[in-house]
Amino acid sequence: MGKIEWAMWANEQALASGLILLTGGIVGVAGQFRGWQFASYAVAAGVFVCLLEYPRSKRAKGTSVERTGQYCFTVCVKAFGPLTRNYYVRAFLHAAICVPGGFMLATVLGCVCLGISSLIYLAAAIRGEHWEPILPRKETRKPVAESIKNPPQNPPPRPPPEMRKKISDLEGAAYDNPVSVTD
Amino acid sequence: MGNWIINNGFTAVMLVVWMGINIFLFVWFYLFYDRGDQFYYTRHLLGSALPWARAPAAVLNFNCMLILLPVCRNLLSLIRGSFVCCSRTMRKQLDKNLSFHKLVAYMIALMTAVHTIAHLLNLEWFTNSRQGVYDKLSTALSSLEDAGNTTYLNPVRIKDLDPQQIPTYFAFTTIAGLTGVVITLALILIITSSMEVIRRSYFEVFWYTHHLFIIFFAGLVFHGAGRIVRSQQRTDPPHNFTFCKDRSDEWGRIPECPIPQFAGGFPQTWMWVIGPMILYVCERLLRFIRYMQTVRYRKIVMRPSKVLELQMVKSGFKMEVGQYVFLNCPAISQLEWHPFTMTSAPEEDFFTVHIRSAGDWTDKLIDIMQQLPEGAQGPKMGVDGPFGTASEDVFDYEVSMLVGAGIGVTPFASILKSIWYKFKESNPKLRTRKIYFYWLCRETHAFEWFADLLQVLEREMEERGMGDFLTYKLYLTGWDQTHANHVMVHFDEDTDVITGLRQKTQYGRPLWDKEFEQVRKENPMSVVGTFLCGPAMLAKVLAKKCAKYSDVDPRKTKFYFNKENF
């Protein structure tokens, strides 16, 4: 299984865990279970995990498929720099977040799933993967070839070469261009 | 609307029937637990969460039974074969097996969610009853023990633990709880690794994780063994709950109200899933037996564009046109089986596959083959199959449109070779009068191995004067300026510069409206079968065109669409 980027699976698993944690939390709060405080924590933690995991990372090899509307999330997650880029941080973060979920049954499934995704992220981090934002490609103009750098300074009709305007000697030219020929 | 009915009608009917059965099961079991008198006391403790948990359980039973069936490909092949006399609609239906498998999986996931949430509520309320938080009747019911002449109703027996932890404790110490957690976890892992993005990029992760279904089914069968959903049993004298519910202090002391007795329901899941489980075990056994049979290499050729051609011989191997096989190479990976369409015709006494470099496994295979000395036998190869897909039907249609994109041309290589053989033998089985072949390809190199075949066919048809039996059009979709220049210089030559064929290569993508219009004009009253092996996007386009140009009127042309891709 050489070419696998574990982070891709960890991401799917973490997103699913976030949703499960959120659902368990909602059930716990709505049903007014004992330990509903843990359930309300799970709601907040679930939302946080979902927001963190929604933007997919750019793949090291191959085409990356974005999730719908992930651009704003990408920008937010990117803003945290090395904290979100590094998968060791994510692995430990998920491990820490999932612990309070183990204290009541409604959130225990979310806790275990998030724990599993934390382990997969750890595997990804050990293999040296990191999170790259998927940003829209900027249009780069093709580099202009050398000979085009100096277009003729005089539009036609052109006077003989010795009378033409040179860049180095602007005063000795036969006439001036009304409009600049370089941009 | 009529066109949609021709092409998708049967699928729609199947889906309606399936959904209908799901809804029926849900409602039936909901009402059974919501109205049944034997559950009156149980409902007193749990409210409507009881039927909300049991109804999805019934739907889950049904769908867990169904989910194994679409992936028994040998069984499906058998069924396909037996429909030889019947309509082609049935066989088309079986092509959509993977879509159905996914649909059933989604239903299982949804019902698992509902079932789990309902049981979370149940456990909380059972715990509360046991703690004596609710009314007198609940407390009385909950304190019934499994001792002497009493039987329990509330499966939560424990009282002394921290009540917040009791549900968790219960979940992990009862059969139902433990199996439930384990199989839900297995289901979640299966689903996250089956997402399209993981499946397309890292098939191994998807395939190995998917085998967690073994744990899923094992846990599922034992999930009900604890019999914790209890109903009231008949006692002698009978215990009338309407009269006795307010007299819980006097149970056992007055003749009208003996102590109520409860028992759990008989676990039924195994009855639903045992059949498909046995079928699936047979399926895997069959794959294993086929794997053990010897396969000898006849020829190994390395083609341009990193395409490997393998010609193999296996005793007792019989194929039809356009079928595919699964290959397993233990030298690369013990457990992986990968599908490849065969490019040889049934009339030959060997079978051929063309394998393109497309991932870990194929790359390693090409590597191994390239390092073999001349004339040596290749590594041990297990072959499972052949399995049939839509291309088998191509000779049943009077007129066929074959569209192959890139390496997707492989099933059609098999068909065209078979045509050539059938021509030579003047085989009466050939119902086809006309074939239109469209090959879309990005780069020229990939043409080479197929161009040979087309050249032979071209010659053959000219000799027999059957020039218009096969009309083929080749489209080079990845052309650039150098191609255009080359063509401009050579445009007045008889044969095409790229392929050497008489038919000129066209550039860019085909204009499907024009093509369908032409086919319709040339074949006014026929049934036209359209076959595609290529990307899903193209499938959508062709399906739409088929629907657009079909007519319900039997005197006009009808287009049927068949798709195959991996």
Side-chain angles (χ1 to χ4, degrees):
Chain A
M1 297 200 222
K3 289 196 243 165
I4 293 176
E5 289 178 41
W6 290 103
M8 286 182 66
W9 185 24
N11 172 267
E12 298 287 333
Q13 181 69 16
L15 190 60
S17 315
L19 289 169
I20 294 169
L21 203 57
L22 177 63
T23 314
I26 291 176
V27 170
V29 168
Q32 294 167 355
F33 286 12
R34 279 166 229 277
W36 60 268
Q37 297 91 336
F38 288 95
S40 56
Y41 161 83
V43 170
V47 170
F48 171 73
V49 167
C50 285
L51 290 175
L52 174 63
E53 296 292 340
Y54 190 73
R56 276 209 185 104
S57 164
K58 192 152 116 161
R59 285 170 65 169
K61 265 205 297 192
T63 29
S64 321
V65 180
E66 275 196 340
R67 289 201 175 99
T68 339
Q70 83 168 36
Y71 181 63
C72 1
F73 298 96
T74 310
V75 167
C76 297
V77 172
K78 181 164 163 283
F80 286 89
L83 278 182
T84 44
R85 202 180 126 87
N86 188 314
Y87 283 146
Y88 280 111
V89 172
R90 268 201 213 199
F92 289 126
L93 184 69
H94 286 324
I97 290 180
C98 82
V99 168
F103 286 96
M104 74 180 278
L105 184 62
T107 51
V108 109
L109 192 63
C111 157
V112 175
C113 288
L114 198 56
I116 291 177
S117 82
S118 157
L119 287 172
I120 309 177
Y121 265 128
L122 192 62
I126 291 173
R127 284 190 75 246
E129 297 171 26
H130 59 265
W131 188 82
E132 271 296 325
I134 302 180
L135 296 166
R137 269 189 324 175
K138 287 201 224 341
E139 288 292 319
T140 46
R141 302 257 296 267
K142 269 178 50 175
V144 175
E146 254 319 301
S147 62
I148 306 181
K149 284 253 169 39
N150 297 317
Q153 295 302 308
N154 303 347
R158 284 184 260 268
E162 56 275 8
M163 302 290 279
R164 288 187 204 159
K165 178 167 124 173
K166 296 190 206 2
I167 298 179
S168 44
D169 173 20
L170 291 171
E171 275 70 41
Y175 65 89
D176 199 354
N177 299 318
V179 177
S180 163
V181 296
T182 48
D183 52 9
Chain B
M1 183 63 193
N3 313 323
W4 186 87
I5 292 178
I6 296 176
N7 284 307
N8 300 93
F10 194 76
T11 315
V13 166
M14 287 297 298
L15 288 179
V16 166
V17 168
W18 172 75
M19 204 57 197
I21 296 179
N22 281 326
I23 294 175
F24 168 75
L25 284 171
F26 193 93
V27 171
W28 174 276
F29 280 89
Y30 187 91
L31 293 177
F32 180 73
Y33 284 89
D34 198 43
R35 307 264 170 91
D37 282 341
Q38 70 271 43
F39 295 107
Y40 178 82
Y41 282 137
T42 326
R43 278 198 301 278
H44 186 81
L45 293 183
L46 298 177
S48 60
L50 172 70
W52 273 109
R54 300 305 307 156
V59 177
L60 278 171
N61 281 338
F62 175 60
N63 284 290
C64 288
M65 173 184 79
L66 286 183
I67 194 146
L68 282 177
L69 299 176
V71 288
C72 292
R73 50 176 190 250
N74 285 297
L75 174 70
L76 289 178
S77 261
L78 204 67
I79 297 179
R80 270 183 74 85
S82 66
F83 272 116
V84 157
C85 58
C86 299
S87 73
R88 53 177 82 97
T89 343
M90 271 311 289
R91 284 186 282 169
K92 264 161 63 86
Q93 210 45 42
L94 294 169
D95 292 343
K96 303 187 184 156
N97 58 336
L98 283 180
S99 308
F100 188 60
H101 180 82
K102 286 184 226 171
L103 190 61
V104 173
Y106 286 136
M107 182 58 93
I108 289 180
L110 177 65
M111 288 293 123
T112 304
V114 177
H115 181 81
T116 311
I117 292 176
H119 273 317
L120 281 175
L121 296 170
N122 284 339
L123 269 185
E124 185 69 16
W125 293 338
F126 268 147
T127 307
N128 284 344
S129 283
R130 192 77 184 94
Q131 297 289 311
V133 162
Y134 297 143
D135 64 359
K136 202 166 79 160
L137 177 57
S138 303
T139 319
L141 285 170
S142 300
S143 45
L144 287 172
E145 297 248 332
D146 226 19
N149 56 350
T150 57
T151 42
Y152 72 83
L153 168 61
N154 186 337
V156 176
R157 303 310 316 149
I158 193 168
K159 248 172 88 153
D160 306 327
L161 204 56
D162 170 17
Q164 185 182 321
Q165 303 307 325
I166 289 180
T168 319
Y169 175 82
F170 183 86
F172 284 95
T173 51
T174 50
I175 297 178
L178 194 57
T179 50
V181 171
V182 166
I183 68 181
T184 310
L185 200 59
L187 185 67
I188 292 170
L189 284 171
I190 289 176
I191 291 179
T192 54
S193 63
S194 307
M195 293 277 105
E196 175 115 26
V197 71
I198 309 280
R199 206 172 69 234
R200 292 276 173 204
S201 318
Y202 315 117
F203 195 79
E204 296 88 358
V205 169
F206 155 69
W207 185 235
Y208 289 132
T209 319
H210 228 71
H211 281 81
L212 284 171
F213 76 85
I214 300 173
I215 297 182
F216 181 83
F217 275 93
L220 187 66
V221 167
F222 288 107
H223 189 58
R227 307 197 194 201
I228 56 175
V229 177
R230 320 276 285 183
S231 59
Q232 188 178 354
Q233 305 299 300
R234 204 178 287 281
T235 49
D236 181 24
H239 174 114
N240 181 341
F241 60 80
T242 333
F243 180 74
C244 302
K245 63 181 163 66
D246 302 311
R247 295 174 171 72
S248 52
D249 292 335
E250 299 161 31
W251 286 349
R253 287 204 286 269
I254 54 175
E256 300 89 344
C257 297
I259 298 179
Q261 301 295 327
F262 299 96
F266 181 66
Q268 292 177 343
T269 306
W270 66 273
M271 297 194 286
W272 291 85
V273 300
I274 191 97
M277 277 168 71
I278 291 177
L279 280 174
Y280 190 74
V281 166
C282 292
E283 161 81 27
R284 294 300 286 254
L285 211 62
L286 186 54
R287 289 187 205 176
F288 180 72
I289 292 172
R290 282 192 165 160
Y291 161 74
M292 295 304 288
Q293 291 171 323
T294 13
V295 173
R296 203 173 50 78
Y297 290 87
R298 196 167 173 273
K299 208 157 87 161
I300 302 174
V301 187
M302 198 60 216
R303 296 283 183 193
S305 273
K306 296 198 94 172
V307 171
L308 172 69
E309 179 184 341
L310 296 174
Q311 284 187 12
M312 294 178 279
V313 179
K314 186 171 163 206
S315 71
F317 186 84
K318 267 193 262 300
M319 61 171 280
E320 300 284 327
V321 281
Q323 288 194 299
Y324 61 95
V325 287
F326 274 78
L327 297 182
N328 167 288
C329 188
I332 304 174
S333 169
Q334 288 279 353
L335 292 175
E336 290 174 36
W337 289 82
H338 293 267
F340 297 98
T341 312
M342 288 184 285
T343 45
S344 55
E347 286 83 1
E348 295 164 336
D349 56 3
F350 54 88
F351 64 96
T352 314
V353 288
H354 281 74
I355 299 173
R356 186 178 63 125
S357 159
D360 268 354
W361 193 87
T362 40
D363 279 344
K364 279 210 200 81
L365 186 69
I366 291 175
D367 227 9
I368 292 177
M369 296 300 183
Q370 277 175 328
Q371 287 166 8
L372 279 179
E374 279 288 334
Q377 277 286 307
K380 169 162 167 55
M381 186 76 83
V383 175
D384 189 19
F387 300 106
T389 63
S391 319
E392 278 185 339
D393 307 335
V394 74
F395 295 119
D396 288 346
Y397 290 94
E398 292 166 22
V399 182
S400 293
M401 285 173 74
L402 311 177
V403 183
I407 197 73
V409 76
T410 35
F412 304 122
S414 168
I415 292 171
L416 291 177
K417 278 195 203 159
S418 190
I419 293 173
W420 177 40
Y421 283 111
K422 284 189 166 65
F423 249 155
K424 294 207 293 189
E425 301 161 16
S426 305
N427 193 326
K429 245 184 8 169
L430 200 62
R431 263 179 75 185
T432 322
R433 287 187 296 105
K434 189 132 184 55
I435 295 189
Y436 295 85
F437 181 63
Y438 304 89
W439 190 13
L440 284 63
C441 198
R442 226 177 281 181
E443 34 150 14
T444 53
H445 291 301
F447 275 98
E448 199 243 50
W449 64 272
F450 197 64
D452 288 339
L453 171 65
L454 286 179
Q455 270 175 3
V456 168
L457 281 178
E458 224 173 14
R459 261 203 318 273
E460 189 84 12
M461 285 188 296
E462 296 240 334
E463 281 172 27
R464 290 161 183 263
M466 301 277 287
D468 37 309
F469 179 81
L470 174 67
T471 309
Y472 55 87
K473 297 194 181 174
L474 308 172
Y475 293 87
L476 192 63
T477 52
W479 65 279
D480 62 16
Q481 196 57 36
T482 39
H483 288 120
N485 292 340
H486 196 198
V487 172
M488 276 197 294
V489 170
H490 294 275
F491 86 100
D492 51 354
E493 289 183 22
D494 254 350
T495 52
D496 184 73
V497 291
I498 313 276
T499 56
L501 295 164
R502 286 200 173 285
Q503 184 70 32
K504 295 294 176 99
T505 310
Q506 308 199 26
Y507 295 88
R509 296 185 190 157
L511 289 167
W512 292 113
D513 281 313
K514 214 173 66 151
E515 305 299 338
F516 274 82
E517 208 40 78
Q518 182 190 356
V519 172
R520 188 158 74 167
K521 210 166 51 155
E522 293 177 11
N523 303 280
M525 284 201 311
S526 316
V527 176
V528 181
T530 309
F531 296 86
L532 165 73
C533 187
M537 199 54 233
L538 190 50
K540 281 205 197 101
V541 170
L542 287 178
K544 269 208 294 238
K545 300 293 179 201
C546 279
K548 182 172 160 192
Y549 286 90
S550 286
D551 216 296
V552 202
D553 189 338
R555 288 166 305 167
K556 301 231 187 94
T557 324
K558 264 184 283 298
F559 288 88
Y560 285 101
F561 178 64
N562 300 276
K563 168 186 75 91
E564 165 195 333
N565 75 351
F566 296 113

